[in-house]
Amino acid sequence: MSSVTPSSLPTVVQSVELLLDTSLDAAVRDEWIRLLDAGLHSQARVRSESNRPHVTLFVAHAVPPELEDAVRAAIRVRRITLRLGGVVIFGGRYATLARAVVPSIELLELQARVFEALSGCPGIPAHIRPGEWTPHVTLARRVPAARVGTAIVAVQSPERQPTGSSAGVRRWDGDAKREWLLT
């Protein structure tokens, strides 16, 4: 009997992501640029056309194509009001800096339905399970711990909690490096 260790699991992911409307997208991209201007890592450095601010609803090592109809059925909503909250930090020596998304009942219910539709997928991390999930929009990855304070100051803006709405749901295939809209 073989065992699976974390190092033997694939690192490429499949995900379902909530996209942001034009105003929220612009607010996050502005924070990406301010991080670059401060000499810090930022999602703005990612040059891929598919790189855009989003809230990850689900992630796994694989999402079988035959489950896509179940995901579409689980989505059921066209737009959800979204409010960005404060800065959150994930990690240790190198941190991921993100903007929290204030969890509404609608958002939490959407994430739970998507999770339920895909709960049989392999390689689901514990932090994506309903009740464990922290909705957020990533601003930067691999920020050295000594620079986290500088990063937080860089992303401060007069509008502390921008509000907008979702602008659709996409699927991301990390293996093929492609995206497609589900709604």
Side-chain angles (χ1 to χ4, degrees):
M1 181 153 77
S2 67
S3 66
V4 177
T5 63
S7 62
S8 68
L9 293 174
T11 57
V12 177
V13 298
Q14 305 287 311
S15 59
V16 176
E17 302 168 348
L18 190 64
L19 301 176
L20 310 181
D21 70 11
T22 304
S23 65
L24 282 179
D25 185 279
V28 172
R29 287 178 190 273
D30 180 60
E31 291 182 351
W32 289 358
I33 296 301
R34 284 189 271 145
L35 287 165
L36 279 182
D37 290 347
L40 295 159
H41 290 273
S42 164
Q43 289 302 103
R45 288 187 178 174
V46 179
R47 299 289 183 209
S48 169
E49 189 176 306
S50 63
N51 181 43
R52 66 179 51 100
H54 64 273
V55 179
T56 301
L57 298 171
F58 181 84
V59 65
H61 292 306
V63 175
E66 60 269 16
L67 293 179
E68 202 153 298
D69 286 339
V71 175
R72 280 192 176 94
I75 294 169
R76 289 192 284 217
V77 293
R78 288 288 178 206
R79 297 228 183 258
I80 292 177
T81 298
L82 298 172
R83 184 166 44 106
L84 301 184
V87 173
V88 294
I89 309 295
F90 302 105
R93 201 172 113 199
Y94 289 98
T96 295
L97 184 76
R99 181 66 70 179
V101 176
V102 178
S104 65
I105 291 172
E106 246 185 335
L107 179 60
L108 293 173
E109 288 175 346
L110 171 63
Q111 193 272 336
R113 287 192 311 270
V114 170
F115 182 88
E116 181 63 30
L118 298 173
S119 63
C121 293
I124 301 170
H127 71 268
I128 208 73
R129 297 181 186 292
E132 301 295 323
W133 177 64
T134 302
H136 66 278
V137 178
T138 300
L139 303 176
R141 298 181 199 285
R142 301 200 45 78
V143 176
R147 306 276 333 262
V148 167
T150 302
I152 291 170
V153 169
V155 299
Q156 294 305 309
S157 66
E159 188 177 359
R160 295 247 188 234
Q161 295 187 329
T163 301
S165 66
S166 60
V169 178
R170 75 173 178 177
R171 269 274 289 115
W172 168 250
D173 179 337
D175 290 319
K177 303 279 191 252
R178 74 179 190 96
E179 66 174 333
W180 60 98
L181 290 176
L182 297 174
T183 64

